[in-house]
Amino acid sequence: MKDPKFTDISTAATPRRTSAQVSGPVPALTLISHPTPQRAGERLILEALASGGTVALSRISPDFVRPGSTLAMPLADTFLSRKPLLFDRAANGGVRLTVEEGGTLVQIGETPFTGTREFGPEELNSGVPLVLAERVVLLLHLVVSPEAHTPNDLGMVGSGAGTRRVREDIARVSDLNVPVLIRGETGSGKELVARAIHQHSPRRSAPFISVNLGALPKELAAAELFGARKGAYTGATQDREGFFRAAHGGTLFLDEVGEAPPEVQVLLLRVLETGEVFPVGGHAPVPVDVRLITATDADLEERIRQDLFKAPLLHRLAGFEIQVPPLRERREDIGVLFYHFARQELEALGEAHRLEAAASQADPWLPTALAARLVRYAWPGNIRQLRNLTRQIVIGSRGQPRLQANPRLEQELDASEPVMPSRQAAALAPAAKEPPAPPEPATPRRKPSEVTDQELLQALRSTSWDLKAAAERLGITRPSLYMLIDKSPSLRTAGDLSTEEITRCFQECRGDLDAMVQRLEVSKRGLQRRIRELGLGND
């Protein structure tokens, strides 16, 4: 297993352009929910905005199309008005939406809206849910290279930029014999990526063995992986083959590789270098031919600094790295993922006809309020959590004409107190710092809805983005502060910053973290984490 070295668009379909005609991120509208459930994931690229034009959206035009498909059609819901919503380019590089009275009822989240509203680049990066006539939910967001598409979906659902990058990486590395390290948060689909690599490799007809290292007893991990001879340890009543030998000729996927005990790390490094394993209690090496794919949600570089992981092993495991994006960074895929999982559950229940028989004149099968909540939610458990939640909603709605969430799920999804992802919550938490100044008089408790966006920004700036102090000053809980930051049109988190923006700011501020916090206006601890992840300042 050795490494081998206006243009006005109101009643006409959107003109098609090649990717060469549009450069950089382009605003788009993606269907999250529609009275015809199968239309989730269809998209309208607002290309006219790049040349100063206006896109007029009504029920009769323009056409939406699923990425990679040629079948296009307008929203075509008779409850929507023929009087269009107008989208044009804002002065700040964002998008301006104009909603005229007497037209389609538009809600931004759960708030009805008429008049003009501008959405800046930061909001577009996060995605803005628009609810039309309580019938259709659209996500206004940015896409890159809108015409680019990988024809083979590689078993992955979705067409967001992050998903496409993963598909492209899989296509690049599948036919090679190099080790692959897959990074991503828990529940983000790392094993799915590993299986796709195997299925599109020359080893596809050989075994694919999946092992969660975090679930193996540490005292037995070496024997489970590399095999053991009879009598090698108490309870070893016969020879054990081991996962490496079981995967001979195929692919071995080791999840949670960051949890590997030190002795296992040494043996992993040896098998990567020599293509041989030593069974526990054995005296002769056994050659194996295995493609090794590993995955982790841990910060391996930090574990190396803590002497918990061996740097040479990381270098050998990462023959090629694939980063799987969290669900909150691919919100445009939430609608089509929900439909995909719902269809699976309905097929298992023998009720798939409920989706096929959905009538466009009926109330939406997926209520818009629920769809909007799905888009706004932080998804700490990523794809795995969405799949489980979809199952609960579908089963809990058996016998009902429409889906509905039970009170417990509604509370979990409630946009007023969204559950923050553990990693994001950690990133937003304040860093350890010098003893704080004497506390100010306690602020009376308030509801989050009473805090204006300007108050929120002033509190954060006056506390140098110490989120605990800001929450206390505003008289709200810290989870409520996280929610307000997430919903604010003016604010962003460290996770929203691009690599280029952080790198440029790091260079211009000469690595001064406090200066970077003031310029970027994000939490200090969250920014510290991003800087560490990018390897800045390690030289």
Side-chain angles (χ1 to χ4, degrees):
M1 194 184 53
K2 298 179 182 179
D3 292 342
K5 307 270 183 226
F6 176 109
T7 306
D8 180 29
I9 305 174
S10 56
T11 58
T14 304
R16 302 301 176 91
R17 302 189 182 189
T18 63
S19 57
Q21 292 175 279
V22 180
S23 60
V26 182
L29 292 167
T30 294
L31 272 168
I32 300 298
S33 175
H34 189 275
T36 303
Q38 299 90 332
R39 297 195 60 183
E42 292 182 12
R43 179 174 296 169
L44 169 66
I45 308 295
L46 305 179
E47 296 171 294
L49 274 57
S51 57
T54 295
V55 173
L57 176 67
S58 72
R59 72 169 184 247
I60 58 175
S61 69
D63 287 346
F64 283 70
V65 61
R66 190 178 303 279
S69 173
T70 58
L71 179 63
M73 62 185 300
L75 292 176
D77 186 273
T78 57
F79 290 82
L80 305 183
S81 175
R82 289 175 177 265
K83 193 172 187 177
L85 313 176
L86 304 180
F87 294 87
D88 57 9
R89 187 174 181 178
N92 62 357
V95 172
R96 180 187 297 110
L97 168 62
T98 301
V99 180
E100 300 181 9
E101 291 191 15
T104 297
L105 171 66
V106 176
Q107 295 170 258
I108 300 177
E110 297 178 350
T111 306
F113 164 75
T114 57
T116 300
R117 168 75 182 271
E118 292 188 359
F119 303 99
E122 295 82 4
E123 291 178 276
L124 299 179
N125 274 320
S126 298
V128 180
L130 305 175
V131 182
L132 311 186
E134 298 186 342
R135 302 275 299 173
V136 173
V137 179
L138 297 169
L139 186 71
L140 174 63
H141 62 108
L142 296 176
V143 296
V144 180
S145 303
E147 298 299 325
H149 178 70
T150 304
N152 189 335
D153 64 11
L154 302 179
M156 303 178 67
V157 176
S159 57
T163 308
R164 190 174 70 244
R165 283 194 297 269
V166 172
R167 288 196 186 104
E168 292 169 349
D169 284 341
I170 292 172
R172 290 186 183 103
V173 77
S174 289
D175 63 336
L176 305 179
N177 199 35
V178 299
V180 177
L181 174 62
I182 305 171
R183 297 187 189 239
E185 295 180 6
T186 181
S188 58
K190 298 185 290 296
E191 182 169 349
L192 178 64
V193 173
R195 289 184 181 275
I197 294 172
H198 174 74
Q199 290 298 326
H200 294 82
S201 75
R203 298 172 179 264
R204 64 180 65 89
S205 59
F208 175 88
I209 305 296
S210 176
V211 181
N212 187 330
L213 283 179
L216 294 180
K218 292 186 177 182
E219 63 275 11
L220 296 178
E224 294 282 1
L225 289 171
F226 309 109
R229 298 304 184 195
K230 180 179 178 180
Y233 56 89
T234 302
T237 58
Q238 58 185 9
D239 287 349
R240 182 187 294 270
E241 182 181 47
F243 291 122
F244 267 92
R245 294 167 66 188
H248 184 73
T251 302
L252 177 62
F253 172 58
L254 300 181
D255 199 1
E256 295 192 27
V257 69
E259 301 301 316
E263 61 273 15
V264 169
Q265 293 181 37
V266 173
L267 295 172
L268 281 175
L269 185 58
R270 177 181 177 84
V271 70
L272 282 165
E273 291 177 340
T274 68
E276 298 174 335
V277 298
F278 266 91
V280 176
H283 302 287
V286 178
V288 290
D289 173 22
V290 174
R291 168 78 173 281
L292 185 63
I293 302 177
T294 53
T296 185
D297 63 353
D299 184 340
L300 295 183
E301 289 77 10
E302 179 61 27
R303 293 183 70 83
I304 289 172
R305 284 189 284 271
Q306 297 173 358
D307 293 327
L308 298 175
F309 201 82
K310 298 184 179 299
L313 177 58
L314 173 58
H315 301 153
R316 295 307 297 263
L317 293 176
F320 186 78
E321 285 196 28
I322 297 178
Q323 182 72 44
V324 183
L327 186 55
R328 64 181 176 275
E329 293 181 6
R330 45 181 294 209
R331 295 181 188 271
E332 64 269 36
D333 290 339
I334 288 176
V336 68
L337 281 165
F338 183 88
Y339 173 77
H340 173 75
F341 294 137
R343 185 177 183 83
Q344 288 182 337
E345 296 304 321
L346 288 170
E347 287 175 346
L349 295 171
E351 298 180 5
H353 61 278
R354 293 180 61 187
L355 284 177
E356 305 298 340
S360 61
Q361 297 295 318
D363 288 338
W365 181 68
L366 174 60
T368 55
L370 178 53
R373 285 179 172 182
L374 293 174
V375 176
R376 293 196 305 268
Y377 185 57
W379 296 111
N382 290 293
I383 306 294
R384 184 184 297 123
Q385 184 185 14
L386 174 59
R387 181 175 56 200
N388 180 61
L389 185 140
T390 304
R391 177 183 296 118
Q392 294 183 66
I393 291 175
V394 170
I395 294 176
S397 303
R398 293 188 72 183
Q400 303 295 323
R402 306 169 72 207
L403 293 179
Q404 58 185 17
N406 63 42
R408 183 185 64 79
L409 290 177
E410 283 190 345
Q411 184 177 8
E412 181 179 350
L413 290 170
D414 193 341
S416 66
E417 290 286 348
V419 178
M420 298 294 290
S422 57
R423 290 174 179 269
Q424 187 174 348
L428 288 171
K433 53 180 70 179
E434 296 78 22
E440 297 182 3
T443 304
R445 275 311 198 197
R446 307 167 66 188
K447 295 180 180 179
S449 59
E450 296 173 347
V451 178
T452 67
D453 197 61
Q454 186 61 32
E455 281 183 293
L456 174 63
L457 183 57
Q458 289 176 349
L460 289 166
R461 285 174 174 171
S462 65
T463 59
S464 298
W465 287 81
D466 182 328
L467 301 191
K468 180 180 179 181
E472 291 173 350
R473 174 166 297 195
L474 292 169
I476 59 176
T477 65
R478 205 184 310 182
S480 295
L481 181 68
Y482 298 153
M483 177 273 296
L484 290 176
I485 292 173
D486 189 56
K487 290 177 62 177
S488 171
S490 309
L491 302 177
R492 53 185 177 169
T493 68
D496 297 324
L497 302 175
S498 68
T499 299
E500 294 76 17
E501 187 173 9
I502 295 175
T503 303
R504 183 173 62 253
C505 186
F506 184 88
Q507 294 169 347
E508 292 174 355
C509 295
R510 301 179 181 273
D512 186 329
L513 185 61
D514 291 327
M516 293 180 69
V517 168
Q518 294 300 318
R519 177 179 296 190
L520 297 172
E521 295 198 324
V522 295
S523 77
K524 187 173 184 178
R525 185 168 181 177
L527 186 57
Q528 278 181 317
R529 182 182 183 87
R530 289 297 308 277
I531 290 172
R532 190 166 57 241
E533 289 174 347
L534 296 173
L536 298 175
N538 289 337
D539 297 335

